[in-house]
Amino acid sequence: MISAVHLSHAFGGHKALQAVSFRVHKGEFAFLTGRSGAGKTTLLRILHGQLPLQAGKARIAGYDLASLRRGRLPLLRRDVAVVFQDFKILPDRTVAENVRLPLEVCGLPDGQIARRVDSVLAVLELERAANLPCAVLSGGEQQRVAIARAMVAGPKVILADEPTGNLDRDMALRLMDVFKQFHAHGVTILMATHNHDIVAATPQARVLNLEAGFLGQAGGACPAGGAA
Ligand SMILES: Nc1ncnc2c1ncn2[C@@H]1O[C@H](COP(=O)(O)OP(=O)(O)OP(=O)(O)O)[C@@H](O)[C@H]1O
Ligand SMILES: [Mg+2]
């Protein structure tokens, strides 16, 4: 579902990623760990088409990033959802309005949008907040809105960058349960994290460790939905 071969990326003269190669199979859950500045966010941004592919090869959800035209990026982003650290929700819009955005972009009929939004808000225990502006929510609730928005279109892959970053331990573990549920339904997940508790509490996941732009040792694969 995701593959990188000798992927390198530099910002000016600074080498953020150096010949990184790995695969994440369909239905697999993988963590991307490594110290601050190791290149985790850079790698996720390349895989989501936010940064250009400078050197090496990368494929995600059937898209070849080397030959992908900009006009096809919206298609890739229907299959590949992201949850970033600074979750980028719109504070003056309601929870339901934020979550329905990706479906409006797809042009789904209103009734179908409402049903999908209701069901994803229920999974994330956000029904009560559906009509509140996001600005009044707690940090953990806002993070769940970002996840609801990522999930609502039914992506094949989720790229998550420190999604539990600003949460207390209990909330972080509850949020991980949500990711685990999506994983159990066959969604492939690549999640950057510093949080050892989270990694330890997710034995079904494999760990890819980045060190100063190089990929170190990787643990054993454990796909839930069969190999790609
Ligand atoms: N737009 C940019 N311009 C210049 N340097 C950048 C840019 N983005 C990232 N870098 C540098 O590339 C390196 C990798 O950054 P990246 O954000 O990928 O690290 P990270 O592993 O996600 O760190 P953290 O755990 O702190 O989020 C860092 O040294 C960073 O300063
Ligand atoms: Mg980062």
Side-chain angles (χ1 to χ4, degrees):
M1 190 59 84
I2 307 174
S3 74
V5 181
H6 288 125
L7 195 65
S8 296
H9 198 90
F11 294 103
H14 178 69
K15 293 177 178 165
L17 292 174
Q18 307 203 49
V20 167
S21 300
F22 68 93
R23 274 168 189 268
V24 179
H25 290 104
K26 185 176 174 199
E28 205 180 356
F29 194 145
F31 284 117
L32 195 55
T33 60
R35 303 169 78 113
S36 179
K40 303 180 294 296
T41 298
T42 304
L43 180 55
L44 295 178
R45 292 184 66 201
I46 292 170
L47 292 174
H48 196 236
Q50 297 177 21
L51 285 173
L53 188 68
Q54 291 179 345
K57 295 180 183 166
R59 293 182 65 87
I60 187 161
Y63 298 90
D64 180 349
L65 290 171
S67 60
L68 189 74
R69 296 209 194 94
R70 286 208 70 80
R72 282 174 55 85
L73 263 184
L75 292 178
L76 178 148
R77 289 178 182 169
R78 238 176 254 180
D79 290 332
V80 181
V82 282
V83 181
F84 280 134
Q85 217 161 4
D86 58 344
F87 19 92
K88 295 195 172 95
I89 53 178
L90 306 172
D92 52 339
R93 304 272 194 96
T94 68
V95 168
E97 284 166 352
N98 268 277
V99 173
R100 62 185 284 134
L101 276 177
L103 299 180
E104 285 173 355
V105 173
C106 298
L108 280 190
D110 258 7
Q112 239 183 74
I113 291 183
R115 274 196 300 280
R116 286 229 218 163
V117 169
D118 286 352
S119 89
V120 79
L121 291 183
V123 172
L124 285 149
E125 296 175 35
L126 284 166
E127 301 113 305
R128 185 194 65 83
N131 297 312
L132 293 177
C134 286
V136 306
L137 303 183
S138 75
E141 286 166 340
Q142 294 191 21
Q143 214 122 0
R144 278 183 281 152
V145 173
I147 294 173
R149 194 181 50 191
M151 306 304 189
V152 77
K156 294 179 183 155
V157 182
I158 296 166
L159 303 174
D161 196 0
E162 295 276 356
T164 59
N166 307 310
L167 304 180
D168 64 44
R169 189 169 182 276
D170 269 8
M171 179 54 80
L173 291 175
R174 278 175 54 200
L175 207 68
M176 285 306 296
D177 283 339
V178 173
F179 279 103
K180 288 176 190 175
Q181 275 182 46
F182 283 100
H183 173 237
H185 283 94
V187 178
T188 306
I189 301 178
L190 179 60
M191 179 183 293
T193 186
H194 289 118
N195 188 326
H196 295 296
D197 277 355
I198 295 283
V199 175
T202 316
Q204 63 268 61
R206 185 158 62 104
V207 177
L208 303 167
N209 188 44
L210 270 175
E211 288 175 28
F214 290 98
L215 196 58
Q217 72 179 76
C222 185

